[in-house]
């Protein structure tokens, strides 16, 4: 009788963890290359239905490349323009409201003194507050994304190459689905479908939130409502904390422009809009498209933001879906892991 010995489970976990750390460290080291390539991949997946529709209409071969490429370039240049405008506007606003902020600090000190809590430590803390620091943080986030888009030539070349290879790549996957690795091909197809559904739903409801946010900011007379609406749309792709990032600039401007009352109204408006649209309505349309639990979504944000910076935060969900497809969904024995990260019991499993 043959004595088959397998590695201890703990050792396997440690080896897998070490491999993941080394892989992520390698990706971070070449993030300036990997980031644009992954962004190009997500953009190509987003416009893939257009290519499929053209192919079903028997459109000329050159349109299967030109039309998706044009759409991707339009998206790229649009994002670059918005981010450039955001950085410029936030840099200008940081120096415009210094006097108003000083007046608010004095008012806060007087109010604290009337309540009998005007200690020296509180006064010192109020004096150290600087709106410029908040704007610098937001400008740094936008500048980080803009730095990725500065490699525009690389992104365009990669997108063009993917558009040219899309047809042959699809043919290879179709042939391998029947003879080679059907489970891997199925996992990659599921990744593409889930990513597109996530992008479509997030974009649609992000636009709804952005329009409502712009309307609320316009009523409250907060400066640059259109800019903050676009920022709300972009940050909608950042899970968990995107809402807070998009709220900070208009809330701060509301405080400087109209005082604490406007600040509270801006926060209340954003919270109501976010709760109704993104917490009550959006999940019904998104359903189980993401396939990640709340905990895994948050961990994905932390990991990919650490590895790829601001771009990793924006692409956290698609990158986690790709990782799941390659490591879990393609593995016949990975059902338990898929159930673990999705927070749902496997089909046919016992509760």
């Amino acid at each position: 009788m043959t004595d088959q010995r397998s590695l201890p489970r703990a050792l396997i976990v440690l080896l897998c963890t070490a491999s993941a750390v080394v892989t992520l460290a390698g990706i971070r080291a070449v993030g300036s290359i990997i980031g644009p390539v992954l962004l190009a991949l997500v953009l190509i997946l987003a416009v893939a239905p257009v290519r499929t529709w053209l192919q079903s209409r028997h459109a000329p071969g050159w349109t299967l490349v030109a039309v998706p490429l044009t759409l991707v370039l339009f998206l790229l240049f649009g994002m670059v323009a918005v981010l450039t405008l955001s950085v410029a506007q936030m840099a200008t606003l940081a120096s415009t409201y210094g006097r108003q902020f000083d007046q608010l600090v004095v008012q806060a000190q007087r109010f604290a003194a009337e309540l009998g809590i005007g200690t020296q430590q509180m006064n010192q803390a109020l004096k150290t507050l600087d709106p410029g620091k908040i704007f610098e943080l937001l400008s740094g986030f936008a500048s980080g994304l803009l730095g990725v888009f500065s490699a525009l030539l690389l992104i365009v070349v990669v997108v063009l190459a993917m558009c040219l290879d899309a047809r042959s790549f699809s043919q290879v996957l179709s042939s391998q689905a029947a003879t080679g690795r059907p489970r891997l091909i199925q996992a990659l197809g599921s990744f593409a479908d889930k990513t597109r559904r996530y992008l479509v739903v997030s974009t649609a409801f992000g636009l709804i939130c952005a329009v409502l946010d712009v309307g609320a900011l316009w009523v409250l007379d907060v400066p640059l409502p259109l800019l903050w609406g676009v920022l709300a749309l972009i940050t909608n792709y950042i899970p968990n904390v995107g809402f807070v990032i998009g709220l900070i600039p208009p809330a701060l401007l509301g405080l400087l422009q109209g005082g604490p009352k406007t600040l509270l109204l801006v926060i209340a408006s954003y919270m109501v809009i976010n709760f109704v649209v993104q917490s009550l309505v959006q999940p019904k349309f998104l359903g189980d498209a993401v396939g990640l639990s709340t905990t895994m979504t948050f961990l994905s944000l932390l990991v990919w933001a650490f590895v790829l910076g601001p771009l990793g935060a924006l692409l956290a969900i698609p990158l986690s879906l790709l990782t799941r497809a390659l490591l879990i969904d393609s593995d016949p024995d990975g059902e338990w892991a898929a159930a673990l990260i999705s927070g749902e019991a496997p089909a046919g499993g016992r509760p």
Side-chain angles (χ1 to χ4, degrees):
M1 181 176 180
T2 305
D3 184 16
Q4 297 181 346
R5 297 182 180 180
S6 60
L7 294 176
R9 178 69 63 179
L11 180 58
I12 295 176
V13 172
L14 288 176
L15 291 175
C16 292
T17 303
S19 300
V21 170
V22 172
T23 302
L24 292 176
I27 295 175
R28 188 183 185 192
V30 293
S32 60
I33 299 176
I34 296 296
V37 171
L38 293 174
L39 175 62
L41 174 62
V42 172
L43 292 175
I44 287 296
L45 290 177
V47 299
V50 176
R51 181 185 175 278
T52 303
W53 181 82
L54 290 173
Q55 193 171 10
S56 66
R57 297 285 179 171
H58 304 287
W62 64 269
T63 61
L64 301 181
V65 176
V67 175
L69 179 62
T70 302
L71 291 175
V72 170
L73 292 179
F74 177 78
L75 292 173
L76 283 175
F77 284 110
M79 286 187 283
V80 170
V82 169
L83 291 172
T84 302
L85 180 61
S86 299
V87 172
Q89 292 290 349
M90 283 188 283
T92 302
L93 291 173
S95 59
T96 302
Y97 285 94
R99 183 173 57 84
Q100 291 90 330
F101 190 80
D102 292 337
Q103 293 176 354
L104 287 173
V105 170
V106 173
Q107 294 175 5
Q109 290 175 333
R110 291 176 180 174
F111 181 73
E114 292 176 358
L115 296 178
I117 56 176
T119 63
Q120 182 178 359
Q121 292 79 4
M122 179 176 293
N123 291 334
Q124 187 64 29
L126 289 173
K127 290 179 181 179
T128 57
L129 291 177
D130 183 6
K133 295 180 180 179
I134 300 177
F135 282 109
E136 286 177 6
L137 179 62
L138 295 170
S139 296
F141 176 81
S143 298
L145 286 178
L146 195 58
V148 174
F149 289 111
S150 64
L152 198 58
L153 179 60
L154 174 60
I155 299 176
V156 171
V157 171
V158 174
V159 168
L160 177 59
M162 289 182 178
C163 288
L164 291 172
D165 293 336
R167 184 174 183 179
S168 60
F169 187 73
S170 299
Q171 292 175 348
V172 171
L173 291 182
S174 299
S175 63
Q176 289 295 316
T179 60
R181 299 175 178 270
R183 193 174 183 92
L184 175 60
I185 305 306
Q186 181 181 3
L188 291 176
S190 177
F191 153 70
D193 292 338
K194 288 182 178 180
T195 299
R196 278 193 292 269
R197 184 177 178 185
Y198 165 75
L199 292 175
V200 170
V201 174
S202 296
T203 300
F205 284 96
L207 284 171
I208 295 174
C209 286
V211 171
L212 295 176
D213 290 340
V214 169
L217 295 176
W218 181 77
V219 171
L220 296 174
D221 197 26
V222 176
L224 305 174
L226 289 177
L227 177 61
W228 308 131
V230 174
L231 179 63
L233 172 61
I234 294 176
T235 56
N236 183 63
Y237 296 102
I238 303 177
N240 301 114
V241 300
F243 160 71
V244 178
I245 296 175
L247 169 63
I248 293 176
L252 180 59
L253 284 179
L255 174 64
L256 299 175
Q257 184 76 11
K261 180 180 178 181
T262 304
L263 167 69
L264 295 177
L265 289 175
V266 170
I267 295 176
S269 301
Y270 265 64
M271 291 184 65
V272 170
I273 293 171
N274 180 79
F275 176 74
V276 173
V277 176
Q278 295 184 343
S279 299
L280 297 182
V281 182
Q282 181 173 336
K284 296 181 180 180
F285 288 85
L286 193 59
D288 59 348
V290 174
L292 298 174
S293 65
T294 304
T295 302
M296 292 306 301
T297 300
F298 184 69
L299 292 178
S300 299
L301 172 64
L302 294 179
V303 170
W304 292 115
F306 173 77
V307 173
L308 295 176
L311 181 62
L314 278 179
L315 300 180
I317 298 300
L319 294 181
S320 295
L321 290 176
L322 178 59
T323 303
R324 170 176 174 166
L326 294 176
L327 300 182
I328 297 177
D329 293 341
S330 61
D331 184 2
D333 299 325
E335 291 185 1
W336 68 273
L340 182 64
I341 65 175
S342 64
E344 299 177 357
R350 290 179 295 181

